[in-house]
């Protein structure tokens, strides 16, 4: 096996079509030679959520172009690659299939090794791509489709310590934004409104906070915001701007409280000395500050990779594929697309099926 590896990564499990080229020479920092991400927000905007059929069609139409662009930007050709890594699940099955078929076609035509990657492993291994961190470490994955604590002990050794039993936090941000008449994606919109709000005016429930363990629940919180909005509309004849800002601040504070307390427990349970976050919700300033403060208090290192690598991308897939490949991982033309694929085979599956596809 060559010491230096250059891999093409392909990602299409949700609403981002992505391709990237990553090179790694052992002992040196991995290089992201290119990372192309084609989002689909505009395609789904009118529907208030990701429409699987539209997503799958858009992936199928755009994958070739994304791969071409990634190769061109990296200044490489297919013949100079050492392998192709592709997300084989979990996710929306039509999208995952589009990526797997594209990767199989390229592998068959070039004879390059094909490596199927679990999308969640891509997120979980990102701190090694960006900061060469060593195992073990604790990862909190918080996005529109994921919410779980993972103890990462190896490229294929993950233990889930807990997660959301219903909505992912990003999903809750998006739904609350909709309830309050704010634009999508809800996270940034709520964060902006919350900046001028009073987080103490509306006490909101903190489900599962009083129960032991690291599981979380966010769907009751969304319903509580809805009830509060209806009460305000009934009492004041409408939702005033200041009240909306207060509700946003209260909601954001509550999510931060839940994530911070459960992170404290996950850190204690795992004994990890490094805590990494990933996913779009990790971009939230209040949440990030709370987690950072918690780590400072516990004398634990805190790592939040750059946002472009926290959210869905193909560089993380190329990297996770390379880690698997170095351990002898290979797939053939029988590689299957899996809508559900828990990283930790031993923990019970999480409930629910998020707005952005099946939760693992
Ligand atoms: O990781 P991501 O880009 O996509 C997936 O879900 O896979 O995460 C998107 C989610 C959306 O639900 C969005 O509302 C949320 O991340 N988000 C935020 C912020 N920026 C994005 N949530 C809270 N605060 C933010 N600043
Ligand atoms: Zn993701």
């Amino acid at each position: 096996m060559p010491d230096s590896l250059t891999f093409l990564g392909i990602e299409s499990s949700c609403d981002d079509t992505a391709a990237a080229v990553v090179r790694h020479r052992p002992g040196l920092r991995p290089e992201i030679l290119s990372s192309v991400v084609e989002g689909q927000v505009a395609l789904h905007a009118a529907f208030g959520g990701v429409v699987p059929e539209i997503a799958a069609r858009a992936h199928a139409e755009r994958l070739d172009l994304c791969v071409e662009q990634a190769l061109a930007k990296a200044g490489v050709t297919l013949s100079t690659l050492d392998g192709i890594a592709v997300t084989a699940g979990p996710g929306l099955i039509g999208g995952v299939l589009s990526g797997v078929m594209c990767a199989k076609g390229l592998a068959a035509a070039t004879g390059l090794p094909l490596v199927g990657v679990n999308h969640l492993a891509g997120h979980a291994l990102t701190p090694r791509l960006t900061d060469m961190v060593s195992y073990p470490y604790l990862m909190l994955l918080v996005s529109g489709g994921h919410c779980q604590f993972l103890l990462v002990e190896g490229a294929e050794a993950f233990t889930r310590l807990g997660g959301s039993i219903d909505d992912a936090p990003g999903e809750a941000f998006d739904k609350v934004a909709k309830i309050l008449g704010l634009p999508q994606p809800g996270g940034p919109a709520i964060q902006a409104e919350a900046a001028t709000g009073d987080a103490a005016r509306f006490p909101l429930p903190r489900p599962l906070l009083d129960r032991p363990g690291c599981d979380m629940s966010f769907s009751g919180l969304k319903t509580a915001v809805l009830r509060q909005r209806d009460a305000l509309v009934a009492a004041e004849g409408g939702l005033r701007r200041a009240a909306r800002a207060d509700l946003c601040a209260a909601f954001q504070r509550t999510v931060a409280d839940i994530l911070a307390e459960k992170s404290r427990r996950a850190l204690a349970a795992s004994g990890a000395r490094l805590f990494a976050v990933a996913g779009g919700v990790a971009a939230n300033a209040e949440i990030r500050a709370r987690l950072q403060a918690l780590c400072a208090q516990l004398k634990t290192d805190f790592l939040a990779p750059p946002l472009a690598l926290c959210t869905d991308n193909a560089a993380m897939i190329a990297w996770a594929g390379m880690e698997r490949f170095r351990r002898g991982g290979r797939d053939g033309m029988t590689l299957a697309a899996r809508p559900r694929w828990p990283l930790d085979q031993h923990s019970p599956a999480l409930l629910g099926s998020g707005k952005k596809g099946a939760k693992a």
Side-chain angles (χ1 to χ4, degrees), residues 14-16 119 123 142-146 169-174 184-188 191 252 278-285 287 307 310-312 355-356:
C14 186
D15 60 348
D16 290 302
H119 176 86
H123 281 300
V142 265
S143 69
H146 325 294
E171 202 176 345
F173 267 97
D174 294 341
Q184 299 292 315
Q191 176 169 318
Q252 183 173 275
V281 180
N284 184 278
I287 292 170
L307 196 60
C310 269
T311 53
D312 287 351
K355 151 180 92 90
K356 294 194 165 181

Side-chain angles (χ1 to χ4, degrees), residues 39-185:
Q40 301 181 356
V41 172
L43 290 181
H44 304 283
F47 303 97
V50 177
V51 183
E53 289 76 11
I54 294 178
R57 199 171 316 130
H59 287 307
E61 282 167 3
R62 296 168 175 192
L63 272 164
D64 289 3
L65 203 60
C66 278
V67 169
E68 253 176 48
Q69 283 176 359
L71 294 172
K73 283 189 180 170
V76 300
T77 58
L78 283 171
S79 60
T80 52
L81 295 174
D82 298 300
I84 299 170
V86 61
T87 301
L92 300 172
I93 189 64
V96 180
L97 260 174
S98 305
V100 168
M101 296 308 286
C102 173
K104 280 185 183 174
L106 290 171
T110 56
L112 285 169
L114 175 69
V115 184
V117 168
N118 183 309
H119 176 86
L120 301 171
H123 281 300
L125 298 176
T126 298
R128 291 175 54 75
L129 166 65
T130 57
D131 293 78
M132 296 174 75
V133 307
S134 349
Y135 302 119
Y137 56 90
L138 181 69
M139 155 72 60
L140 168 60
L141 195 50
V142 265
S143 69
H146 325 294
C147 179
Q148 50 189 297
F149 290 107
L150 288 166
L151 175 61
V152 186
E153 293 178 287
E156 293 174 275
F158 307 94
T159 307
R160 201 185 71 223
L161 301 176
S164 174
I165 59 164
D166 41 51
D167 291 355
E171 202 176 345
F173 267 97
D174 294 341
K175 286 177 179 167
V176 164
K178 215 165 162 187
I179 289 169
L180 299 179
L182 292 167
Q184 299 292 315

Side-chain angles (χ1 to χ4, degrees), residues 254-277:
T254 306
V255 175
D257 283 351
I258 296 170
L259 290 175
E261 176 52 29
K262 296 290 180 170
S263 298
R264 175 190 298 283
R265 290 184 205 173
L267 277 165
S270 69
R273 302 311 311 152
L274 182 115
F275 184 41
V277 290

Side-chain angles (χ1 to χ4, degrees), residues 281-351:
V281 180
N284 184 278
E286 180 168 355
I287 292 170
R288 197 182 271 237
R290 286 287 295 281
L291 298 178
Q292 223 159 354
L294 173 70
C295 286
Q297 193 189 35
L298 299 176
K299 301 199 169 25
T300 301
D301 289 332
F302 179 77
L303 178 67
L307 196 60
L309 295 172
C310 269
T311 53
D312 287 351
N313 67 88
M316 69 178 189
I317 302 304
W319 173 254
M322 287 155 99
E323 288 227 33
R324 245 202 92 202
F325 184 75
R326 286 205 190 277
R327 293 168 47 83
R330 307 280 187 284
D331 290 289
M333 289 299 137
T334 53
L335 174 66
R338 301 172 62 174
R340 284 187 178 257
W341 182 4
L343 256 189
D344 174 355
Q345 309 285 338
H346 305 293
S347 294
L350 289 173
L351 303 175

